[in-house]
Structures are given as structure tokens and as C-alpha cells.
Amino acid sequence: MRVVHNSLHDEVAASLREEIFAGRLAPGSFVDEAALCTRLEISRTPLREALKVLTAEGLLRHEPRRGCFVSEVTQRDLDEIFPVIALLEGRCAFEAARNANDADIAALEVLHDKLERHAKAHRINEYYAANFAIHEAIILLADNRWLAQVIGDLRKILKLARLQQLRAPGRLEQSLSEHLAVFAALKARDSEGAEAAMRTHLNRQREALRAVALLQTTRIATT
């Protein structure tokens, strides 16, 4: 088989995407094309093609005669995105409940056991990783490429916001309870129950983020 390599602009886009997600290209910052060309040792053409890709994904915004800037995610953006992604992932849970076989449920049980252990040990980073794996598994079981594509695009915007909803008081335990409710419905092959539980889970994530934002911005002493 002939190996097909990614084009240079795809590689550049992937590199810049990681820099954005890691915060090395900060929200609102100007994308200095000349400096990037020098640092990445590339010409303007692949860089500009990469910037077009990231602009289409919503990670950059282009301003005429000024250039590109790293996108900033506002509270309004989150208010608009979360109801949409709740509907989409809810539908994934609905379809996953119809499609899952016994082996799929057993694999999901292993993932949920990991999630529960991380929650009890208060290992937040590991909990995030297990949480992501569960969401990915449910999207895979839904077997709907259009749902997967749109969810993937929205997740990129949410990742840009560097969200920390598990930092809200009591959220870790609440999140685990919500996940177990989704899994119980999947295990019972209850499509409507799985959809409702997943939508509740995503909507409560947004509520938790509001609580975190309030804690970060309040000027009132709490200790």
C-alpha cells in the first residue's frame, strides 16, 4: 500500500491547533504570520492555508486588513453552544442504546468503573480523561458520522475555552451520578432514557461552569 502523507498545510494547522489549545497562542492574541513562518521554517502559502482551516473551525477569526486573531469564547457563546451539544450528544445516546450489544455494554462498564474510582480518589485529570473516553465511546456506538462531525467541531470551540467545570463545589460527585444514570439507561437499552440523561448531563455542565465563573469573578470574601 502507498502511504499518503498529510499536506504541509494540514501539518501546520495541526501544530497551531495544539498551540491554541495549550494556551501558547492566547485567546484574543494576534497571529503574527511573519514570525510563524520564521519559527516553523515555512513559506506564507502553507501558513495561510492552515489559517483558513482554523478560521473555518472557529478557532481563529479573520479581520480584513488586520489579519487573524485567536478566537475568544464568551459566556454568550457557551450559553448558545451547550444546548446544541446537549441535543446532539443526547441523540448519540439514543442511537447508542439501540445499537449497543452485550460486548459494548461490558466495555462501557469497564470505563465507568474507572470513572468511579477516579471520582472517589478525587483524581480530576484522570476523571476528565475517562469522561472523554466514555463520551467518545457513546458517539462511536451511535454510528452516525454527521453527529460525530458536528460534535467534534463544537468540542474544538469548547476546548478553546479551557473549561474546568469539575472545579465547581460538588460537581465531581454530581457528574459521576449523571454518567451512571446515562449508563443505566444504555444498559437497559432505554433509548429515550439515555437521551434524556445525556442532555441533563450536558446542561448541568453549563450550570457548573456558571458557578465556576462566579467564584472566579466575585469580590466577596468567602473565607
Short mmCIF file of all heavy atoms in Angstrom, two decimals, residues 102-134:
data_model
loop_
_atom_site.label_atom_id
_atom_site.label_comp_id
_atom_site.label_asym_id
_atom_site.label_seq_id
_atom_site.Cartn_x
_atom_site.Cartn_y
_atom_site.Cartn_z
N ASP A 102 -24.00 -6.72 23.84
CA ASP A 102 -23.55 -7.06 25.19
C ASP A 102 -22.07 -6.75 25.40
O ASP A 102 -21.67 -6.29 26.49
CB ASP A 102 -23.81 -8.55 25.47
CG ASP A 102 -25.30 -8.87 25.59
OD1 ASP A 102 -26.10 -7.92 25.77
OD2 ASP A 102 -25.66 -10.05 25.53
N ALA A 103 -21.25 -6.97 24.38
CA ALA A 103 -19.82 -6.67 24.49
C ALA A 103 -19.59 -5.17 24.64
O ALA A 103 -18.72 -4.73 25.41
CB ALA A 103 -19.07 -7.20 23.27
N ASP A 104 -20.39 -4.38 23.94
CA ASP A 104 -20.28 -2.92 24.05
C ASP A 104 -20.63 -2.46 25.47
O ASP A 104 -19.93 -1.61 26.05
CB ASP A 104 -21.22 -2.23 23.06
CG ASP A 104 -20.87 -2.50 21.61
OD1 ASP A 104 -19.67 -2.64 21.31
OD2 ASP A 104 -21.80 -2.58 20.78
N ILE A 105 -21.68 -3.02 26.01
CA ILE A 105 -22.09 -2.65 27.37
C ILE A 105 -21.02 -3.05 28.39
O ILE A 105 -20.72 -2.31 29.33
CB ILE A 105 -23.45 -3.31 27.72
CG1 ILE A 105 -24.56 -2.75 26.82
CG2 ILE A 105 -23.79 -3.08 29.19
CD1 ILE A 105 -24.78 -1.25 26.95
N ALA A 106 -20.43 -4.22 28.18
CA ALA A 106 -19.36 -4.67 29.08
C ALA A 106 -18.17 -3.71 29.02
O ALA A 106 -17.56 -3.38 30.06
CB ALA A 106 -18.93 -6.08 28.72
N ALA A 107 -17.82 -3.26 27.82
CA ALA A 107 -16.71 -2.32 27.68
C ALA A 107 -17.04 -0.98 28.35
O ALA A 107 -16.19 -0.37 29.01
CB ALA A 107 -16.39 -2.11 26.20
N LEU A 108 -18.27 -0.53 28.19
CA LEU A 108 -18.70 0.70 28.84
C LEU A 108 -18.66 0.57 30.36
O LEU A 108 -18.33 1.52 31.07
CB LEU A 108 -20.11 1.09 28.39
CG LEU A 108 -20.25 1.76 27.03
CD1 LEU A 108 -21.72 1.90 26.66
CD2 LEU A 108 -19.57 3.12 27.02
N GLU A 109 -18.98 -0.62 30.86
CA GLU A 109 -18.95 -0.83 32.31
C GLU A 109 -17.53 -0.68 32.85
O GLU A 109 -17.32 -0.10 33.92
CB GLU A 109 -19.51 -2.20 32.65
CG GLU A 109 -19.68 -2.42 34.14
CD GLU A 109 -20.69 -3.51 34.48
OE1 GLU A 109 -20.97 -4.35 33.60
OE2 GLU A 109 -21.20 -3.50 35.60
N VAL A 110 -16.54 -1.17 32.09
CA VAL A 110 -15.14 -1.02 32.49
C VAL A 110 -14.77 0.46 32.57
O VAL A 110 -14.13 0.91 33.53
CB VAL A 110 -14.21 -1.76 31.50
CG1 VAL A 110 -12.75 -1.42 31.79
CG2 VAL A 110 -14.43 -3.27 31.58
N LEU A 111 -15.19 1.23 31.57
CA LEU A 111 -14.90 2.66 31.56
C LEU A 111 -15.57 3.38 32.74
O LEU A 111 -14.98 4.27 33.36
CB LEU A 111 -15.36 3.28 30.24
CG LEU A 111 -14.56 2.90 28.99
CD1 LEU A 111 -15.21 3.50 27.75
CD2 LEU A 111 -13.11 3.34 29.10
N HIS A 112 -16.80 2.99 33.04
CA HIS A 112 -17.50 3.62 34.16
C HIS A 112 -16.91 3.22 35.51
O HIS A 112 -16.92 4.02 36.45
CB HIS A 112 -19.00 3.31 34.10
CG HIS A 112 -19.73 4.14 33.08
ND1 HIS A 112 -19.77 3.79 31.75
CD2 HIS A 112 -20.42 5.31 33.21
CE1 HIS A 112 -20.47 4.71 31.10
NE2 HIS A 112 -20.86 5.63 31.95
N ASP A 113 -16.38 2.01 35.60
CA ASP A 113 -15.68 1.61 36.83
C ASP A 113 -14.45 2.49 37.05
O ASP A 113 -14.17 2.93 38.17
CB ASP A 113 -15.26 0.13 36.75
CG ASP A 113 -16.44 -0.82 36.90
OD1 ASP A 113 -17.51 -0.36 37.37
OD2 ASP A 113 -16.29 -2.00 36.56
N LYS A 114 -13.71 2.77 35.96
CA LYS A 114 -12.55 3.67 36.05
C LYS A 114 -12.99 5.06 36.48
O LYS A 114 -12.37 5.69 37.34
CB LYS A 114 -11.83 3.75 34.71
CG LYS A 114 -11.08 2.50 34.30
CD LYS A 114 -10.37 2.73 32.96
CE LYS A 114 -9.63 1.48 32.52
NZ LYS A 114 -8.98 1.69 31.19
N LEU A 115 -14.07 5.53 35.88
CA LEU A 115 -14.58 6.86 36.20
C LEU A 115 -14.92 6.97 37.68
O LEU A 115 -14.58 7.95 38.35
CB LEU A 115 -15.83 7.14 35.35
CG LEU A 115 -16.35 8.59 35.34
CD1 LEU A 115 -15.46 9.45 34.46
CD2 LEU A 115 -17.79 8.63 34.83
N GLU A 116 -15.57 5.93 38.19
CA GLU A 116 -15.99 5.94 39.60
C GLU A 116 -14.77 5.91 40.53
O GLU A 116 -14.75 6.62 41.55
CB GLU A 116 -16.90 4.74 39.87
CG GLU A 116 -17.61 4.83 41.19
CD GLU A 116 -18.79 3.87 41.28
OE1 GLU A 116 -18.98 3.05 40.36
OE2 GLU A 116 -19.53 3.96 42.29
N ARG A 117 -13.74 5.13 40.18
CA ARG A 117 -12.54 5.09 41.01
C ARG A 117 -11.83 6.44 41.04
O ARG A 117 -11.38 6.89 42.09
CB ARG A 117 -11.58 4.00 40.50
CG ARG A 117 -12.06 2.58 40.74
CD ARG A 117 -10.92 1.59 40.62
NE ARG A 117 -10.25 1.65 39.32
CZ ARG A 117 -10.64 0.95 38.26
NH1 ARG A 117 -11.70 0.16 38.33
NH2 ARG A 117 -9.97 1.05 37.12
N HIS A 118 -11.75 7.09 39.89
CA HIS A 118 -11.11 8.40 39.83
C HIS A 118 -11.91 9.45 40.63
O HIS A 118 -11.32 10.30 41.29
CB HIS A 118 -10.95 8.86 38.38
CG HIS A 118 -10.00 8.02 37.58
ND1 HIS A 118 -8.82 7.55 38.10
CD2 HIS A 118 -10.06 7.58 36.29
CE1 HIS A 118 -8.19 6.85 37.17
NE2 HIS A 118 -8.91 6.86 36.07
N ALA A 119 -13.22 9.34 40.56
CA ALA A 119 -14.06 10.29 41.31
C ALA A 119 -13.87 10.12 42.81
O ALA A 119 -13.71 11.10 43.55
CB ALA A 119 -15.53 10.11 40.93
N LYS A 120 -13.85 8.87 43.26
CA LYS A 120 -13.71 8.61 44.70
C LYS A 120 -12.35 9.04 45.22
O LYS A 120 -12.21 9.47 46.37
CB LYS A 120 -13.95 7.12 44.97
CG LYS A 120 -15.42 6.72 44.83
CD LYS A 120 -15.63 5.24 45.10
CE LYS A 120 -17.11 4.88 45.00
NZ LYS A 120 -17.33 3.42 45.21
N ALA A 121 -11.31 8.94 44.34
CA ALA A 121 -9.96 9.35 44.73
C ALA A 121 -9.72 10.84 44.45
O ALA A 121 -8.65 11.36 44.76
CB ALA A 121 -8.92 8.52 43.98
N HIS A 122 -10.72 11.50 43.89
CA HIS A 122 -10.64 12.92 43.55
C HIS A 122 -9.47 13.19 42.59
O HIS A 122 -8.80 14.22 42.70
CB HIS A 122 -10.52 13.79 44.80
CG HIS A 122 -11.18 15.13 44.64
ND1 HIS A 122 -12.54 15.30 44.67
CD2 HIS A 122 -10.65 16.36 44.41
CE1 HIS A 122 -12.83 16.58 44.49
NE2 HIS A 122 -11.69 17.25 44.31
N ARG A 123 -9.27 12.29 41.65
CA ARG A 123 -8.24 12.47 40.63
C ARG A 123 -8.89 13.15 39.42
O ARG A 123 -9.40 12.48 38.52
CB ARG A 123 -7.63 11.13 40.25
CG ARG A 123 -6.83 10.47 41.38
CD ARG A 123 -6.08 9.25 40.88
NE ARG A 123 -6.97 8.16 40.52
CZ ARG A 123 -7.24 7.10 41.29
NH1 ARG A 123 -6.67 6.98 42.49
NH2 ARG A 123 -8.05 6.15 40.87
N ILE A 124 -8.89 14.47 39.42
CA ILE A 124 -9.67 15.21 38.44
C ILE A 124 -9.14 15.04 37.02
O ILE A 124 -9.92 14.84 36.07
CB ILE A 124 -9.76 16.70 38.83
CG1 ILE A 124 -10.66 16.84 40.07
CG2 ILE A 124 -10.32 17.54 37.69
CD1 ILE A 124 -10.85 18.25 40.55
N ASN A 125 -7.84 15.10 36.82
CA ASN A 125 -7.30 14.94 35.47
C ASN A 125 -7.63 13.57 34.88
O ASN A 125 -8.01 13.46 33.71
CB ASN A 125 -5.79 15.16 35.47
CG ASN A 125 -5.40 16.60 35.70
OD1 ASN A 125 -6.21 17.51 35.49
ND2 ASN A 125 -4.18 16.83 36.15
N GLU A 126 -7.48 12.54 35.71
CA GLU A 126 -7.80 11.18 35.26
C GLU A 126 -9.32 11.03 35.02
O GLU A 126 -9.74 10.33 34.10
CB GLU A 126 -7.34 10.15 36.28
CG GLU A 126 -5.83 10.01 36.38
CD GLU A 126 -5.19 11.07 37.27
OE1 GLU A 126 -5.90 11.98 37.75
OE2 GLU A 126 -3.95 10.98 37.49
N TYR A 127 -10.11 11.74 35.84
CA TYR A 127 -11.55 11.71 35.65
C TYR A 127 -11.91 12.33 34.31
O TYR A 127 -12.75 11.80 33.56
CB TYR A 127 -12.26 12.46 36.78
CG TYR A 127 -13.77 12.37 36.72
CD1 TYR A 127 -14.46 11.40 37.44
CD2 TYR A 127 -14.51 13.25 35.92
CE1 TYR A 127 -15.84 11.31 37.36
CE2 TYR A 127 -15.89 13.17 35.84
CZ TYR A 127 -16.56 12.20 36.56
OH TYR A 127 -17.93 12.11 36.47
N TYR A 128 -11.29 13.47 33.98
CA TYR A 128 -11.55 14.10 32.69
C TYR A 128 -11.24 13.14 31.55
O TYR A 128 -11.99 13.05 30.57
CB TYR A 128 -10.68 15.36 32.53
CG TYR A 128 -11.31 16.63 33.06
CD1 TYR A 128 -10.67 17.36 34.05
CD2 TYR A 128 -12.52 17.11 32.54
CE1 TYR A 128 -11.24 18.55 34.53
CE2 TYR A 128 -13.07 18.29 33.02
CZ TYR A 128 -12.42 19.01 34.01
OH TYR A 128 -12.97 20.17 34.48
N ALA A 129 -10.12 12.42 31.65
CA ALA A 129 -9.73 11.50 30.58
C ALA A 129 -10.73 10.36 30.43
O ALA A 129 -11.13 10.00 29.30
CB ALA A 129 -8.34 10.94 30.86
N ALA A 130 -11.19 9.79 31.55
CA ALA A 130 -12.18 8.71 31.50
C ALA A 130 -13.51 9.23 30.99
O ALA A 130 -14.21 8.55 30.22
CB ALA A 130 -12.33 8.08 32.88
N ASN A 131 -13.87 10.43 31.42
CA ASN A 131 -15.10 11.06 30.98
C ASN A 131 -15.09 11.23 29.46
O ASN A 131 -16.07 10.92 28.77
CB ASN A 131 -15.24 12.42 31.66
CG ASN A 131 -16.38 13.25 31.12
OD1 ASN A 131 -17.53 13.03 31.44
ND2 ASN A 131 -16.06 14.23 30.29
N PHE A 132 -13.96 11.72 28.93
CA PHE A 132 -13.84 11.91 27.49
C PHE A 132 -13.96 10.58 26.76
O PHE A 132 -14.63 10.49 25.72
CB PHE A 132 -12.50 12.58 27.17
CG PHE A 132 -12.28 12.82 25.70
CD1 PHE A 132 -12.89 13.88 25.05
CD2 PHE A 132 -11.46 11.97 24.96
CE1 PHE A 132 -12.69 14.11 23.70
CE2 PHE A 132 -11.26 12.19 23.60
CZ PHE A 132 -11.87 13.26 22.97
N ALA A 133 -13.32 9.54 27.28
CA ALA A 133 -13.36 8.23 26.65
C ALA A 133 -14.79 7.69 26.59
O ALA A 133 -15.20 7.07 25.60
CB ALA A 133 -12.47 7.25 27.40
N ILE A 134 -15.57 7.94 27.63
CA ILE A 134 -16.96 7.48 27.65
C ILE A 134 -17.79 8.22 26.61
O ILE A 134 -18.57 7.61 25.86
CB ILE A 134 -17.56 7.66 29.07
CG1 ILE A 134 -16.94 6.63 30.01
CG2 ILE A 134 -19.09 7.52 29.04
CD1 ILE A 134 -17.25 6.87 31.48
#
